[in-house]
Amino acid sequence: MTVSLFRQTRHPGRIGWTDILSYAYLALGVVLMFGPVLWLVLSSLKTPAALLEFPPSLLPLTQKTVTVPGHAQPLELYRVRMPDGTVRELAQVRRIGIQAQMLDPADPATIIRVPIEAREPIREMAFAWSNYTEPLQQFAFGRYFSNSLIVTIVATIITLIINSMAAYALAIYEFRGKALMLLLVIGTLMIPITIVLVPVFLVITQMGLNNSLWAVILPGAATPTGVFLLRQYMLTLPRDLIEAARMDKASEWQIYARIVLPLTLPALAVLAIFSIMWRWNEFLWPLAVLTKSEVYTLQIGLNAFQGELQTQWHYLLAMTVMTLAPVALVFVFLQRFITTGIANTGMK
Amino acid sequence: MADASPPTRMMPRDALAARLWQAASGLLDRPMALVQRLVGGNRMAWIFLAPNIFFFGLFVFLPIGINIALSVTGGTNLFLGDRPHVGAAHYEALLDCRSYLEPGSCREDHFWKGVANTLKFTLFQMVAMVGTALVTALVLNRKIRGRGFFRAVYFFPVLLSPVVVALIWKWILQRDGLLNAAITTAGGQKILFFVDPGWAMFWAVFVSVWAHMGFYTLILLAGLQAIPADLYEAAEMDGTPPMRVLTRITLPLLWPNLLVVLVLVLIRAVQTFDEVFVLTGGGPGTATVMIVQYIYETAFANQVQNFGRAAAASMLLGGLLFALTMLQLWFARRKAA
């Protein structure tokens, strides 16, 4: 027997049962992880009528219609098995009980009566792009989107600056109280927003920031995760560089802004990705502090829609896709960055 | 990166962000030089720390004090000056139960329902999350084709927002959804998943595992890859059966990582709110209400905003989290030692 069950293929070039099992597990994983998102995207392109179908069709299909002179409405096309065994494409004029009155679009004058079980709808792919365009016009979806964008960008910039400054202080200097400051930063890790929801709300209200985007941006701007991540990276920078700059009469601020920060770029990039992810997806705190719909972020807006639009899944699904699209793009381009960043820091 | 290459090589001269930063930080050159002359070079550390510490103070440390003050005062006013002192009344109300095993017998039955649900959720979720993450990490650690792709497949839901995750699954699990279509096609009856308390809890756990397992898989995978390969080679030469390798080499060496993941899952599970709130709304009835939902609703969503009661409940949750975090630090230290 062999060890490789938990390590590698038994014999290079041959495939053992454990490999088959592994690939089966991974294939199931692909279906289970990708399937739901794919189903969301496909569903979001269906017309409201197609969404009501049960059992649902996989692809966004709608019944083909044809405009026939003499009929105001477009008529639905069916494939009909005629009594003589031939199959014809006919348009339905109306249905009376178990009989359908149909006509051949080429010969609209003759009405043909067929039993309804002899006909079968002709369907074609049709993408309901209006699911995407209409929410942008009818609801404040665009507003929520831009609110989220502002929050994400401004908050990430603030986080990068103040976290890198603190990290610089804790990485480069030796001073009294440094250990205490480090402990303080660790301490904040233990106090998530779930614990201080009400008092932070009080502080924000006292500052007069209720129902402004600043209320969402400020409380999470200083992150212990970011300080540690950047400090760890700055500790690896050569000290000679800083000493040399001091010799050249560079001020401490210049050393930070011109020398250390540019060298910390890889770690800053990881923190930027984390921060974008946190801010774009943030839910509980904005839910508590934002009560006016003009300042809703995308997540809060989407949650409000799902309460109001229970019957309008076609809009809701399209808006969900639009909400996840930016994240999906970020992931496609920065996947390696993100996964190695998390594997190295153990944080998200 | 270790050599003293000019910073401009790391930050392309033409990058807009770099230029903006140079301009913005340049504006501070003179004021900061002045500050440095006033306080001295080494005390600049405090200047660099100041903004971050200010934010921590304002939004973390000060709020803890306020939270304690809120939890011992009553009324519906938010500001402390307008709130009458009530002593431990909120804590007494929260802890007033005839039997702690029956949420219905408690004065604040909603809170205890939340506690019971959170415990149930946490227990199921921990087993399912760590189990699937471990199996996935073990599979991904083998020599498989396309490992990067599969790793990405399991990981990507981690980036999705809780609202998006919940809506994706709500759409699949609704009465006329994909899953019920599959069930009826197989000859079964439609199941109303969000009307049945058991199913609602099951899907709450399932969806949260779906969304977050990729993160823990990554951590465990990093741990697995740190196990020295020669241990496996030696075992192979000795002809050790694979199950024995798992129990004698892989799991013992992965154990410190596994403990960290376990506690991390625990800390997050206790604070569960977003996905479950959007997925089930806490329903049916109160079958999936969690502690955090109780806090949120008591303070913000109920007709009468009871800030004191919510603050007291978050103090209790905070105490629990503190204990769990200490546990985590202890494990982390043991791992390092």
Side-chain angles (χ1 to χ4, degrees):
Chain A
M1 273 306 279
T2 166
V3 199
S4 351
L5 179 54
F6 304 102
R7 191 73 198 164
Q8 61 199 356
T9 316
R10 286 218 247 181
H11 306 288
R14 258 205 279 161
I15 293 181
W17 62 272
T18 53
D19 295 288
I20 296 171
L21 217 60
S22 299
Y23 282 107
Y25 179 83
L26 292 174
L28 181 75
V30 172
V31 173
L32 213 57
M33 304 312 274
F34 267 152
V37 178
L38 194 65
W39 179 242
L40 169 80
V41 175
L42 285 174
S43 302
S44 75
L45 290 166
K46 289 179 177 178
T47 58
L51 283 177
L52 284 176
E53 261 176 49
F54 187 87
S57 63
L58 189 63
L59 296 169
L61 299 172
T62 46
Q63 187 155 14
K64 217 168 160 179
T65 56
V66 65
T67 334
V68 179
H71 295 273
Q73 300 288 326
L75 301 178
E76 291 174 337
L77 272 175
Y78 287 86
R79 192 169 286 119
V80 181
R81 209 173 337 96
M82 302 306 286
D84 57 1
T86 58
V87 175
R88 295 174 67 183
E89 281 187 17
L90 299 178
Q92 175 170 293
V93 181
R94 68 175 68 83
R95 182 187 151 182
I96 305 158
I98 55 161
Q99 287 278 319
Q101 298 185 354
M102 315 203 71
L103 55 77
D104 190 333
D107 172 26
T110 358
I111 295 283
I112 309 161
R113 284 168 208 283
V114 281
I116 54 166
E117 64 278 4
R119 65 196 182 129
E120 182 190 312
I122 299 177
R123 312 218 292 168
E124 60 180 353
M125 290 267 274
F127 298 114
W129 294 112
S130 57
N131 293 349
Y132 284 81
T133 53
E134 279 166 19
L136 293 174
Q137 299 149 5
Q138 291 181 17
F139 315 109
F141 190 78
R143 183 70 182 267
Y144 302 160
F145 202 94
S146 68
N147 284 345
S148 266
L149 214 57
I150 293 170
V151 167
T152 304
I153 292 172
V154 175
T156 299
I157 291 173
I158 297 178
T159 297
L160 288 179
I161 293 175
I162 67 175
N163 276 0
S164 66
M165 282 170 70
Y168 177 69
L170 293 172
I172 305 298
Y173 296 95
E174 292 304 329
F175 57 100
R176 270 172 59 142
K178 182 177 171 178
L180 181 73
M181 285 297 122
L182 274 170
L183 202 68
L184 220 63
V185 177
I186 297 179
T188 58
L189 266 175
M190 273 186 265
I191 304 141
I193 189 74
T194 40
I195 304 300
V196 287
L197 204 57
V198 186
V200 172
F201 182 73
L202 192 155
V203 170
I204 285 291
T205 310
Q206 185 83 72
M207 290 167 81
L209 294 176
N210 253 350
N211 280 316
S212 80
L213 293 181
W214 289 111
V216 184
I217 293 170
L218 294 180
T223 71
T225 313
V227 174
F228 273 111
L229 187 86
L230 297 175
R231 174 173 180 261
Q232 256 6 69
Y233 197 86
M234 285 177 185
L235 284 175
T236 66
L237 299 179
R239 296 298 287 253
D240 308 352
L241 209 63
I242 292 152
E243 292 309 324
R246 282 190 182 139
M247 293 291 189
D248 289 345
K249 294 265 175 342
S251 74
E252 298 295 312
W253 172 259
Q254 282 171 327
I255 296 173
Y256 156 77
R258 298 283 160 78
I259 296 171
V260 172
L261 213 55
L263 291 174
T264 316
L265 209 55
L268 284 170
V270 172
L271 178 60
I273 295 167
F274 280 164
S275 170
I276 290 170
M277 203 166 92
W278 293 328
R279 293 323 190 108
W280 190 261
N281 294 341
E282 199 177 13
F283 184 64
L284 174 60
W285 171 244
L287 184 70
V289 79
L290 302 177
T291 51
K292 288 211 180 99
S293 71
E294 311 90 90
V295 284
Y296 276 3
T297 58
L298 208 45
Q299 310 299 335
I300 308 306
L302 199 60
N303 180 54
F305 280 141
Q306 73 117 7
E308 293 160 18
L309 304 182
Q310 280 292 359
T311 50
Q312 291 176 287
W313 270 105
H314 56 297
Y315 289 149
L316 195 55
L317 295 171
M319 288 191 275
T320 309
V321 173
M322 284 191 271
T323 307
L324 80 82
V327 179
L329 280 181
V330 168
F331 181 67
V332 168
F333 287 112
L334 302 175
Q335 193 256 116
R336 208 155 284 271
F337 240 131
I338 300 170
T339 45
T340 50
I342 286 179
N344 290 340
T345 59
M347 290 177 289
K348 76 169 171 182
Chain B
M1 178 221 83
D3 66 319
S5 58
T8 41
R9 261 172 61 189
M10 296 293 293
M11 211 183 249
R13 206 181 282 273
D14 54 345
L16 182 66
R19 274 196 182 173
L20 279 174
W21 171 248
Q22 288 209 341
S25 69
L27 285 179
L28 283 172
D29 272 353
R30 275 159 174 275
M32 287 305 239
L34 192 70
V35 172
Q36 191 180 336
R37 221 175 307 145
L38 284 174
V39 303
N42 208 41
R43 280 207 209 108
M44 281 301 284
W46 291 102
I47 305 292
F48 282 108
L49 271 174
N52 211 70
I53 294 297
F54 173 75
F55 273 78
F56 277 152
L58 197 58
F59 296 115
V60 180
F61 296 113
L62 177 68
I64 295 173
I66 298 176
N67 212 21
I68 295 170
L70 279 168
S71 73
V72 294
T73 51
T76 53
N77 281 313
L78 179 60
F79 294 110
L80 290 170
D82 309 325
R83 297 172 61 82
H85 186 81
V86 296
H90 288 304
Y91 294 98
E92 277 164 18
L94 282 173
L95 298 173
D96 181 12
C97 280
R98 247 172 296 139
S99 157
Y100 286 112
L101 295 176
E102 275 177 64
S105 75
C106 300
R107 175 133 59 108
E108 215 33 40
D109 56 340
H110 226 67
F111 173 71
W112 282 100
K113 190 73 189 159
V115 172
N117 286 337
T118 305
L119 287 181
K120 206 194 290 179
F121 177 90
T122 303
L123 195 73
F124 291 141
Q125 203 228 30
M126 258 174 73
V127 175
M129 184 84 89
V130 177
T132 44
L134 180 62
V135 171
T136 311
L138 285 171
V139 171
L140 285 176
N141 193 39
R142 311 183 76 227
K143 273 197 182 141
I144 40 172
R145 257 173 248 265
R147 180 198 283 171
F149 167 76
F150 287 115
R151 198 177 56 177
V153 164
Y154 285 98
F155 179 76
F156 87 93
V158 172
L159 300 184
L160 300 181
S161 83
V163 183
V164 166
V165 167
L167 286 177
I168 287 174
W169 283 98
K170 217 172 168 170
W171 173 238
I172 289 174
L173 299 172
Q174 55 131 347
R175 199 189 49 171
D176 297 324
L178 188 62
L179 189 59
N180 268 326
I183 292 173
T184 48
T185 312
Q189 288 285 317
K190 278 187 192 176
I191 303 172
L192 299 176
F193 292 111
F194 297 122
V195 174
D196 180 274
W199 275 117
M201 181 58 89
F202 171 84
W203 287 113
V205 172
F206 179 93
V207 169
S208 74
V209 171
W210 183 85
H212 301 293
M213 66 160 286
F215 172 68
Y216 301 104
T217 303
L218 272 189
I219 298 183
L220 290 179
L221 191 58
L224 282 174
Q225 281 168 350
I227 299 176
D230 44 346
L231 283 179
Y232 290 103
E233 280 155 23
E236 181 148 29
M237 259 183 257
D238 294 346
T240 319
M243 260 319 177
R244 222 174 146 78
V245 174
L246 179 71
T247 53
R248 293 295 160 86
I249 299 179
T250 309
L251 287 184
L253 287 174
L254 191 64
W255 187 238
N257 293 69
L258 214 53
L259 270 182
V260 169
V261 165
L262 217 63
V263 182
L264 220 56
V265 171
L266 189 66
I267 290 174
R268 298 250 166 90
V270 169
Q271 301 178 67
T272 294
F273 171 71
D274 321 8
E275 280 120 356
V276 181
F277 178 71
V278 182
L279 188 72
T280 68
T286 54
T288 53
V289 169
M290 302 288 156
I291 300 176
V292 175
Q293 189 183 342
Y294 169 84
I295 295 172
Y296 162 72
E297 284 178 347
T298 305
F300 299 107
N302 285 355
Q303 284 283 311
V304 180
Q305 298 190 310
N306 196 338
F307 296 115
R309 191 64 51 89
S314 28
M315 290 303 295
L316 295 177
L317 179 60
L320 178 64
L321 277 178
F322 181 78
L324 291 176
T325 310
M326 284 296 133
L327 195 70
Q328 183 199 14
L329 288 177
W330 187 62
F331 283 147
R333 179 161 294 187
R334 276 211 336 190
K335 180 189 164 190

